[in-house]
Amino acid sequence: MSIGASIFLLVIGAILTFAVNVSTEGFNINTVGIILMVAGVVGLLLSLLFWSSFSPYRRRSTAYPEERVVEERRIERDYP
């Protein structure tokens, strides 16, 4: 889930929870709004977590030996 979709779920959930006053039987619209807000928060946290793990600005520490040895071999094959 992307960050935009997570924010969209948060907004729709907040609207359903706090702005809509509808009474229905067997279906509570406030509960649906809360569920959407929770899903939006979880999606937003996961998106930010994975976004930071693939960020090109993170620091990478690699240790290379001082001298690299590259060995070249010539392979000669007889093709029919």
Side-chain angles (χ1 to χ4, degrees):
M1 183 181 314
S2 67
I3 294 174
S6 300
I7 293 173
F8 179 75
L9 285 178
L10 278 169
V11 168
I12 295 299
I15 290 171
L16 290 177
T17 302
F18 302 117
V20 176
N21 292 323
V22 177
S23 60
T24 59
E25 289 185 31
F27 184 75
N28 191 352
I29 200 140
N30 292 333
T31 305
V32 173
I34 291 172
I35 290 171
L36 287 176
M37 285 194 303
V38 169
V41 168
V42 170
L44 185 64
L45 291 176
L46 289 176
S47 295
L48 291 176
L49 176 72
F50 287 118
W51 188 44
S52 66
S53 67
F54 293 114
S55 173
Y57 300 108
R58 68 179 178 182
R59 295 183 180 179
R60 294 182 184 179
S61 60
T62 56
Y64 291 111
E66 294 295 324
E67 295 181 19
R68 286 186 165 185
V69 178
V70 177
E71 182 178 325
E72 295 182 7
R73 294 184 203 170
R74 185 173 193 152
I75 299 175
E76 295 181 15
R77 296 184 180 163
D78 294 329
Y79 291 108

